[in-house]
Amino acid sequence: MDVIVVGAGIIGLSTAWTLQRRGASVTVVDPAPGTGATHAAAGMLAPAAEVVWGQSPLYPLMRAAADLYPEFAADLTAASGLDLGHSDAETLVCAADRADLTALRELVTAQSGAGFDVALLPGSRARDLEPALSPGVCGAVRIPGDHSIDPRRVVTALRRVLGTHPIAASARGLRLTGDRVTGVELDDGRTLFAERVVIAAGADCRTIEGVPSLPLREVFGEVIRLRAPEQLAPLLTRTIRGLVLGRPVYVVPRPDGELVLGATSREDGRPGMSAGGIHQLLRDAERLVPGILDCEITDITTRARPGSPDDLPIIGSVGKGCIVSTGYFRHGILLAPLGARLTADLVLGESSDWAPPGTLESVSPRRFAQARPRPSALHSASSPALAPAVVTSAPSPSRSENPTGSQP
C-alpha cells in the first residue's frame, strides 16, 4: 500500500516508520520537519505525573504507551544506531509550600487510584535524593516509573530509519477521486497520489482544504534549555516536577548534561516568546532548584501544542482513504508509539485488540459533534462549493503519474 503522511513531528514520523515496517511504501510531507511542538518538548515519559482530575479516559492510554516505549526505543536505537537520550531515572514532584503539598496529597490519591506506583516523601528525604533541591521544598511525590527521552534525538533517528527526506512542502488540500481521498495537493503545485493519506500535522490540520473541521486549539508554551557550570554538574539526576503557588513547572536533566525547563501554557494566539512566561519559569524553578540561576541559557523555544476539548488525541477516519492523528496536547511524546500503532492499524485495516478496551472510541473524531466535513471536503470537483485548484477529481493514477514515486 502507498501511504502519504502529512506532518514530520514525532507523531507523523513514528506513524510513517510503523507503516514502513509493516510493508507500506510511505511518503512524508512537511515544509520544516521536526521543528514544531516536538522540537520544544522536554520528552517526559510520565504517565503517573500527568494524572490530573477529570481525565480518567486518558490514564489507560498513557499507561499503554509507557508499556510500549521500551520496545519502541530499543528498536529505534538498533535500527538507527543513534542514542535517543533515553533515561530511566525516576521523577520527583515537589511542593514549594504547604498549600502546594496539600494539592500533591490529593493528586497522590488520584495517581494511586489509577494504579500507579507513587510514594509521598518529606522534604528532607527528597533533598537526600536530590541535594540541589531548595530547603523550602516541604514534600515530594516519588514516581519510579516516570522516565524521559530526548525528542529531538528521536526525530533525528526516525528520519534516518525512514531512509528518505520528507518532501519540503505544505499540503494545501486533499486530492479526491469521486468521494475517495487519493492524494494531496501541495503548495508548490505538485500533486501526490496514494491509496491512503494520514494527516498528522498538529494544529495545521485545520489549514488543509478538505480535512473536516476539528475542534483543535493551539496551546503555546515557552521552554528554556540550560547547562550547569562544571562545578555544579550534574545539578540534578532525576526529573524534577513541582507546584509553585499552584503553578506547574519541571526541570528535566538530559544524560548529556542539558537541563530542560518548562513549560508555560497559554492560548493567546501569540507565537512569539512571552517575557512574562520566561520570567515565570525561572522564578518558579528557582523556588525548587536555586542553582538553576547559576546555569547558562543555551536555547529558548516557543511552540504551539495541538489540543482537543477533552485533552485526548484525535485519531480516526475522516473519510474514505483519509485518517487523522492529531490533538495530542502535552502528551505527544509519551503517546507517540501508541498513536503510531493505532493509526497504522486503521490505515492497513488491522486489528487494534492490543490496545486498552474502548481506545478507538475514546480517540475517534466522531466524538465531537462539530467534526463534520466542511462544504468542500470529501466531495467531487463538480460541486459548486469547491475550490477546484485545491480539491479536484481525477482518474485513479498509475504509478507513473506520481512524479515523486512512492518515496520523497
Side-chain angles (χ1 to χ4, degrees):
M1 180 177 292
D2 292 325
V3 184
I4 295 169
V5 175
V6 179
I10 194 169
I11 300 300
L13 292 174
S14 298
T15 300
W17 185 47
T18 302
L19 285 163
Q20 188 182 81
R21 296 176 81 190
R22 297 193 193 179
S25 178
V26 184
T27 299
V28 179
V29 175
D30 193 304
T35 61
T38 302
H39 186 70
M44 290 177 290
L45 308 179
E50 288 290 343
V51 166
V52 297
W53 293 105
Q55 290 189 347
S56 55
L58 190 58
Y59 305 164
L61 303 187
M62 294 193 297
R63 182 188 294 278
D67 290 342
L68 291 173
Y69 238 100
E71 181 179 358
F72 172 80
D75 288 351
L76 184 55
T77 298
S80 67
L82 297 177
D83 178 7
L84 306 183
H86 187 215
S87 170
D88 60 3
E90 63 189 8
T91 293
L92 292 178
V93 185
C94 302
D97 60 24
R98 294 293 175 184
D100 292 322
L101 183 57
T102 297
L104 281 192
R105 287 196 179 103
E106 294 172 351
L107 190 57
V108 165
T109 300
Q111 293 166 334
S112 299
F116 291 106
D117 180 14
V118 296
L120 190 61
L121 306 178
S124 58
R125 176 58 180 143
R127 284 186 290 277
D128 288 341
L129 296 172
E130 289 292 341
L133 288 176
S134 166
V137 169
C138 57
V141 180
R142 187 177 189 177
I143 310 177
D146 281 8
H147 305 147
S148 66
I149 201 165
D150 188 338
R152 295 182 180 181
R153 294 188 180 211
V154 173
V155 164
T156 299
L158 286 167
R159 293 187 66 180
R160 174 177 287 191
V161 298
L162 284 168
T164 56
H165 295 289
I167 293 177
S170 295
R172 190 160 56 105
L174 299 178
R175 176 83 174 189
L176 289 101
T177 301
D179 65 348
R180 184 177 187 85
V181 175
T182 55
V184 296
E185 304 274 2
L186 304 183
D187 61 354
D188 61 10
R190 284 182 291 172
T191 299
L192 306 179
F193 296 103
E195 296 170 77
R196 299 285 189 275
V197 174
V198 175
I199 306 296
D204 287 342
C205 293
R206 302 173 301 176
T207 68
I208 301 172
E209 186 67 31
V211 176
S213 179
L214 296 167
L216 290 169
R217 69 189 200 277
E218 290 184 312
V219 185
F220 290 91
E222 284 75 36
V223 177
I224 304 173
R225 285 172 165 77
L226 311 99
R227 192 166 291 276
E230 185 175 351
Q231 64 270 24
L232 293 181
L235 184 64
L236 297 168
T237 59
R238 295 165 176 80
T239 293
I240 301 300
R241 300 174 67 125
L243 291 177
V244 178
L245 302 178
R247 293 185 299 267
V249 66
Y250 60 73
V251 183
V252 181
R254 298 271 190 249
D256 65 359
E258 183 180 65
L259 298 165
V260 185
L261 166 60
T264 55
S265 185
R266 52 186 175 83
E267 299 185 44
D268 54 13
R270 298 185 300 165
M273 295 180 190
S274 164
I278 295 167
H279 172 69
Q280 175 187 311
L281 287 177
L282 291 170
R283 179 190 62 208
D284 290 351
E286 183 197 15
R287 284 284 301 274
L288 301 180
V289 185
I292 204 78
L293 295 188
D294 294 319
C295 297
E296 175 190 358
I297 294 177
T298 60
D299 180 59
I300 301 176
T301 310
T302 300
R303 291 293 187 274
R305 295 155 287 190
S308 70
D310 56 11
D311 290 338
L312 269 71
I314 303 172
I315 307 170
S317 173
V318 292
K320 295 180 181 178
C322 187
I323 307 293
V324 296
S325 180
T326 185
Y328 289 80
F329 190 26
R330 63 179 183 269
H331 309 297
I333 308 304
L334 170 61
L335 294 181
L338 180 138
R341 191 169 173 181
L342 282 177
T343 305
D345 290 344
L346 290 167
V347 168
L348 301 176
E350 298 178 1
S351 171
S352 296
D353 289 346
W354 55 270
T359 293
L360 287 175
E361 292 76 13
S362 70
V363 300
S364 171
R366 295 181 178 86
R367 71 187 190 271
F368 304 115
Q370 62 267 51
R372 299 191 182 99
R374 295 193 288 261
S376 61
L378 306 179
H379 290 75
S380 70
S382 61
S383 168
L386 290 183
V390 178
V391 183
T392 59
S393 181
S396 297
S398 66
R399 294 291 296 169
S400 61
E401 288 180 282
N402 183 346
T404 64
S406 60
Q407 298 286 348

